[in-house]
Amino acid sequence: SAVISQKPSRDICQRGTSLTIQCQVDSQVTMMFWYRQQPGQSLTLIATANQGSEATYESGFVIDKFPISRPNLTFSTLTVSNMSPEDSSIYLCSVAPGWAMNTEAFFGQGTRLTVV
Amino acid sequence: GIQVEQSPPDLILQEGANSTLRCNFSDSVNNLQWFHQNPWGQLINLFYIPSGTKQNGRLSATTVATERYSLLYISSSQTTDSGVYFCAALNQGGKLIFGQGTELSVKP
């Protein structure tokens, strides 16, 4: 299993500003994943972050809007840039410790972002 | 890509009732998980069940991989069971694909 600490848990931000969300894992993991959950919707994968290389973004998500850092095997950040009210969502990070072996995925507590 | 469909989308139960939630997936999967999302948005792992049957207290799950579906059973429901239940399937590319969820409301 894995314990993931994600912060902040919630924030209210002004439009046009940026917010950086941090995700810390209690063990080394190869891949970390970032998801967005818009109000009343399911989870959508934003990008996959591998240590030492650029993140891989899903269709509809771009690096300029959601830059990701992965400086080591236990930590990652997601920045939501130049925010607008449409960015109001829950953002979650996830790891699958045995990713190469298709094992169980675990999620952080989530960051509830409101943009005003 | 793989499609994950959940039913029903909404469910209202009286406390003490039983329920079955269904998850259909369109292609073979390497992993199938069930989650409960609490009112604060946190995803709680319920089951990792690529195949077979597992039980944990009042909850149990069955995945029939050959027929591409999974079921989550909730017995003797309690108000604390309320929230959204998601199933998610791991596709061949290693990405977790979520269904749209079942929103459960248990009334006292």
Side-chain angles (χ1 to χ4, degrees):
Chain A
S1 67
V3 177
I4 305 169
S5 175
Q6 184 176 339
K7 55 182 180 182
S9 58
R10 59 176 58 234
D11 208 340
I12 301 173
C13 300
Q14 296 291 324
R15 66 178 67 200
T17 63
S18 298
L19 176 71
T20 296
I21 302 167
Q22 299 181 1
C23 188
Q24 178 76 50
V25 190
D26 68 342
S27 58
Q28 294 184 342
V29 292
T30 303
M31 309 291 272
M32 295 181 74
F33 306 87
W34 288 97
Y35 289 81
R36 181 179 73 181
Q37 185 181 25
Q38 295 177 298
Q41 303 296 313
S42 184
L43 282 78
T44 301
L45 181 64
I46 297 172
T48 303
N50 195 359
Q51 192 264 337
S53 62
E54 280 200 7
T56 302
Y57 289 82
E58 297 298 305
S59 176
F61 297 97
V62 295
I63 188 171
D64 289 346
K65 177 67 175 178
F66 298 102
I68 288 172
S69 77
R70 183 79 201 276
N72 57 53
L73 290 173
T74 64
F75 187 79
S76 179
T77 67
L78 169 76
T79 298
V80 186
S81 303
N82 189 25
M83 288 183 286
S84 67
E86 292 71 35
D87 294 319
S88 299
S89 297
I90 298 174
Y91 294 85
L92 300 103
C93 66
S94 172
V95 302
W99 178 81
M101 299 171 61
N102 301 320
T103 55
E104 187 173 3
F106 297 88
F107 284 79
Q109 304 95 317
T111 296
R112 188 180 295 270
L113 171 62
T114 302
V115 183
V116 298
Chain B
I2 188 172
Q3 304 293 319
V4 180
E5 296 181 355
Q6 292 186 242
S7 60
D10 305 282
L11 186 60
I12 300 175
L13 297 176
Q14 204 65 37
E15 196 170 28
N18 303 328
S19 63
T20 300
L21 281 58
R22 187 176 180 102
C23 175
N24 293 333
F25 38 95
S26 62
D27 204 346
S28 59
V29 297
N30 296 325
N31 177 9
L32 195 289
Q33 290 187 239
W34 284 96
F35 299 90
H36 176 213
Q37 189 169 40
N38 64 24
W40 297 272
Q42 187 173 4
L43 275 179
I44 309 299
N45 285 41
L46 296 178
F47 294 102
Y48 162 68
I49 186 166
S51 64
T53 298
K54 291 185 178 180
Q55 181 158 6
N56 184 2
R58 296 181 296 103
L59 274 59
S60 64
T62 295
T63 296
V64 184
T66 53
E67 298 186 20
R68 299 179 183 171
Y69 73 89
S70 183
L71 302 173
L72 177 68
Y73 305 95
I74 305 174
S75 65
S76 303
S77 58
Q78 301 176 359
T79 55
T80 51
D81 295 331
S82 296
V84 183
Y85 290 81
F86 288 104
C87 71
L90 191 71
N91 69 8
Q92 301 296 334
K95 298 175 183 177
L96 207 55
I97 309 299
F98 281 78
Q100 290 302 306
T102 293
E103 184 164 8
L104 174 65
S105 179
V106 181
K107 303 297 186 183

